Amino acid sequence: MAADAPVPAGDPAVEVVPFVLDVPEEQLADLRERLRRVRLPEPATDPSQGIGLDAVGELCRAWLEEHDWRRVEDELNRRGQFRTAIDGLGIHFLHVRSPRRDARPLLVTHGWPGSVVEVLDVLDALVDPGDGPDGQALPAFHVVAPSLPGYGFSDKPTGPGWGVERIADAWAGLMGRLGYDRFLAQGGDWGAMVTTALAVRHPDRVAMMHTTMPMARRPEGFDDSALSDTERQWLAGVQEFRRVGSGYSAQQRTRPQTLGYGLVDSPAGQLAWIAEKFVAWTDGDGFGGVPRDRVLDNAAIYWLTASGASSARLYWESFGGTDVDSPVTVPSAVSIFPAEMAKPPRAWVEARFRDLRHWNVLPTGGHFASLEVPGDFVDELRTAFARA
């Protein structure tokens, strides 16, 4: 199907329909009332026990008094939201087409605790970038950004089986339904795993992939003496993360339902669960370069869709069971941001990603690079995909 081919209509199993976001006012009133009556714990006896009381209290106050959900709705609605059923599940996505005839389709997949909010600050630069300093037109893309199953305004699976591989297959189906036979793909966190699975399972569809979190193990027989000092620090950081920073993951991959009762019932609980990661996984003080409103935008999507449990179930579905060994043969690109929690050595990445055309280690940024350092993030995609 060509990129400009019409979308099938009339059959609800394949129809793509516009989605207009309009949260009922009573839901927002309920949120405000819960924030007014928020009950917070006593301060931690040691900072290592989690995000601080003062920080959460201030975020709750800002959410109640300053955050404008209707601004978020308007921004998402103006960008172009749609829904369609894929493999029996309703999927929400942004589809923002470039006015440029030479634009290429780009699928961007978020992770946890992210959402489609992560692409909002880079959309203009990707879709309609204008000319570079040399007067030449910068690369342009038609951006498709789905909400993962159980996240945001996609449906919640009602049974098991919606793991990384099934999502990758669904995304291949979604892009075909939109008329994109071949496309570029990008993702971090769970989005990295979905993007990599797409490249492995649908190599004829993925023209090139880019990730900020490459999934690669230590190759058999690898000589550790070949590691640089920086790479040794990266691996030590991964071990420290597993020791003190992975409790959220253990809970979500084992008992997501139990966790969900608290997250779905308490906006302060959902906010703290998310905000802690924006503090821990960004580069610098506070939320690094992520604007506070973007953290609240993201938390609001989780709260208003009651997706605390359903989003966590992806860990139960896929953590520890996702393919991280199959060779990736499609052209690949990797951008390493310093505050990312998992940074494998380049030799490990090259052993799995057999056609690595771009590798760059950035000076700043972290897990939420598109929000922290949007200019650097866009530059990485432009540079990488120029080699597709």
Side-chain angles (χ1 to χ4, degrees), residues 83-267:
R83 293 228 334 156
T84 193
I86 302 285
D87 196 9
L89 194 74
I91 297 297
H92 162 265
F93 60 97
L94 301 179
H95 185 198
V96 187
R97 289 186 58 85
S98 172
R100 292 255 300 273
R101 295 184 61 85
D102 63 341
R104 292 180 291 173
L106 169 60
L107 172 68
V108 180
T109 307
H110 69 84
W112 184 93
S115 67
V116 294
V117 163
E118 289 185 65
V119 304
L120 292 179
D121 293 342
V122 298
L123 274 175
D124 288 337
L126 292 172
V127 171
D128 193 10
D131 295 340
D134 59 0
Q136 297 296 310
L138 294 167
F141 306 91
H142 304 303
V143 177
V144 178
S147 296
L148 289 166
Y151 287 68
F153 302 99
S154 285
D155 286 354
K156 300 175 174 67
T158 57
W162 274 98
V164 162
E165 285 77 14
R166 188 173 180 182
I167 296 170
D169 293 345
W171 279 193
L174 172 63
M175 294 301 280
R177 188 169 298 177
L178 296 177
Y180 302 127
D181 287 334
R182 278 177 62 80
F183 52 89
L184 306 164
Q186 195 283 328
D189 195 83
W190 283 113
M193 299 185 194
V194 172
T195 299
T196 306
L198 260 170
V200 170
R201 297 167 70 86
H202 303 277
D204 57 323
R205 304 288 307 284
V206 179
M208 187 173 186
M209 65 158 286
H210 172 276
T211 184
T212 55
M213 185 186 278
M215 299 291 111
R217 297 187 201 264
R218 181 181 184 274
E220 185 176 352
F222 180 77
D223 183 358
D224 288 347
S225 67
L227 295 172
S228 68
D229 290 342
T230 297
E231 290 172 330
R232 293 178 191 277
Q233 292 172 6
W234 291 353
L235 294 177
V238 171
Q239 292 303 314
E240 182 67 4
F241 169 77
R242 289 174 178 167
R243 189 179 71 84
V244 302
S246 60
Y248 77 97
S249 175
Q251 181 67 31
Q252 295 194 150
R253 74 175 183 262
T254 57
R255 296 293 188 271
Q257 186 70 15
T258 305
L259 172 67
Y261 296 115
L263 299 185
V264 171
D265 189 58
S266 168

